[in-house]
Amino acid sequence: MSKSKAIISVIIASVLFGLFPSIQKLILANGTPPLVLVVCCNGVACLVGLAASIFRHRSLKLTRRQVPAIILVGFCGLFLTDYLLDIAYTLIPVGYVTMLHFMYPSLVCLFMALLFHERITKWKTLAIISSVIGLALLAGGGFSGSMAGIGIAVITSFTYVFYMIASDKTAARQIPVEVRLFYSNLVVTIAAGIFVIVSSGKTPLVFPKGTDIVLTLIVGCMLGTAILLLNAGLVTLGAATTSFINMIEPVASLVISSAVYRYSITAAALTGCACILCSLVFTTISGDHAS
């Protein structure tokens, strides 16, 4: 995949990632527990990966090195991130959950430099500065919410750092993106299902009903498509560059959630969005990308 196509792929994925949390919050508000929602949405995403693998004639066979890598990517990266994000959505506004979560691109860049000696160019430095300023402005945009929600949202930034770096630097990178989508979401679905069974006890399980079933299918398909596009771009661009392009997600999420839930967007928040978009520009004009 060319660099320009990889950038477009990640941008489309970012818009999808920014859209479906607002739909998820509707489902959660109707009583579906976060863990059950993870089982349902990632289960659908798993089927999307299986269908894409069959369509592209990809072998589902994994090597002995790839099995533990995809388990770690699925559980520590996707499962913990998805589950904790769903909890955070119930505690603080969706746009602000995404904003706190998106400390991760700067962290990815720093960890890649420390662990793998990846060069931080002047453009990536500007991207880090611009994104931090943008996130700070978004945080000051009339935010209110529980400290628990804030803490959980911050933790998701670190779990996603692991997901991005592990997807780029472990044996999981060698797995075709369609097969990777299938297995990583299979791990998420199994892990979430076990957690649901263990934590349910004598409490009846609540699953999506009525229109929530349709919404869950939509979210699952969007999630699968977004992960597929993100990983396709990741192969070409590398973890750090992909992470910063993915910064378009909090902008999309804030705008969409504000429209759906009528949150007010202040001048500071708008300026923050502009800074985040600048970080996207700084990253895309950087010459650094994965080989």
Side-chain angles (χ1 to χ4, degrees):
M1 179 183 289
S2 68
K3 186 177 179 181
S4 59
K5 288 183 179 179
I7 291 172
I8 293 172
S9 178
V10 176
I11 290 175
I12 295 173
S14 301
V15 172
L16 290 175
F17 278 128
L19 175 60
F20 68 72
S22 292
I23 304 175
Q24 284 180 307
K25 185 154 186 171
L26 291 173
I27 303 170
L28 292 167
N30 288 333
T32 301
L35 269 175
V36 173
L37 186 59
V38 170
V39 172
C40 295
C41 292
N42 289 85
V44 174
C46 175
L47 294 177
V48 171
L50 179 60
S53 298
I54 294 173
F55 180 76
R56 296 294 300 274
H57 305 288
R58 304 296 193 193
S59 171
L60 297 179
K61 185 178 180 180
L62 301 178
T63 67
R64 281 187 286 184
R65 291 181 64 243
Q66 291 171 341
V67 171
I70 199 65
I71 290 174
L72 285 174
V73 167
F75 184 82
C76 298
L78 282 182
F79 170 67
L80 289 180
T81 300
D82 288 348
Y83 177 45
L84 294 175
L85 280 174
D86 280 345
I87 293 176
Y89 293 148
T90 66
L91 300 173
I92 57 177
V94 170
Y96 294 109
V97 172
T98 306
M99 178 269 296
L100 292 169
H101 170 67
F102 262 82
M103 293 189 302
Y104 96 82
S106 295
L107 293 173
V108 166
C109 195
L110 293 174
F111 276 113
M112 291 292 284
L114 289 173
L115 299 177
F116 302 101
H117 309 291
E118 184 172 294
R119 187 167 62 97
I120 300 180
T121 66
K122 65 179 181 180
W123 293 113
K124 285 185 179 178
T125 301
L126 288 173
I128 291 173
I129 295 171
S130 183
S131 66
V132 169
I133 293 173
L135 291 173
L137 289 170
L138 284 175
F143 171 76
S144 63
S146 72
M147 291 304 297
I150 295 171
I152 291 170
V154 169
I155 291 173
T156 67
S157 67
F158 287 92
T159 58
Y160 211 64
V161 166
F162 176 84
Y163 172 74
M164 293 297 291
I165 294 179
S167 295
D168 188 31
K169 294 297 184 180
T170 70
R173 176 184 171 88
Q174 306 305 319
I175 304 173
V177 291
E178 301 89 355
V179 180
R180 197 188 313 174
L181 173 65
F182 167 63
Y183 279 118
S184 61
N185 281 279
L186 179 62
V187 171
V188 174
T189 304
I190 293 173
I194 293 173
F195 272 69
V196 167
I197 294 171
V198 171
S199 62
S200 62
K202 296 181 180 180
T203 305
L205 293 177
V206 178
F207 288 92
K209 299 176 182 178
T211 56
D212 284 346
I213 296 176
V214 177
L215 294 177
T216 300
L217 290 173
I218 292 173
V219 169
C221 290
M222 292 172 65
L223 174 62
T225 303
I227 294 175
L228 190 65
L229 292 173
L230 182 74
N231 280 283
L234 179 64
V235 171
T236 300
L237 301 172
T241 299
T242 300
S243 297
F244 275 106
I245 297 174
N246 196 208
M247 287 291 293
I248 200 170
E249 179 184 335
V251 176
S253 181
L254 184 62
V255 171
I256 293 167
S257 64
S258 296
V260 173
Y261 299 105
R262 298 182 181 179
Y263 301 141
S264 61
I265 302 180
T266 65
L270 289 174
T271 305
C273 290
C275 289
I276 288 174
L277 292 177
C278 284
S279 73
L280 167 64
V281 173
F282 294 145
T283 302
T284 54
I285 63 178
S286 172
D288 281 7
H289 56 91
S291 58

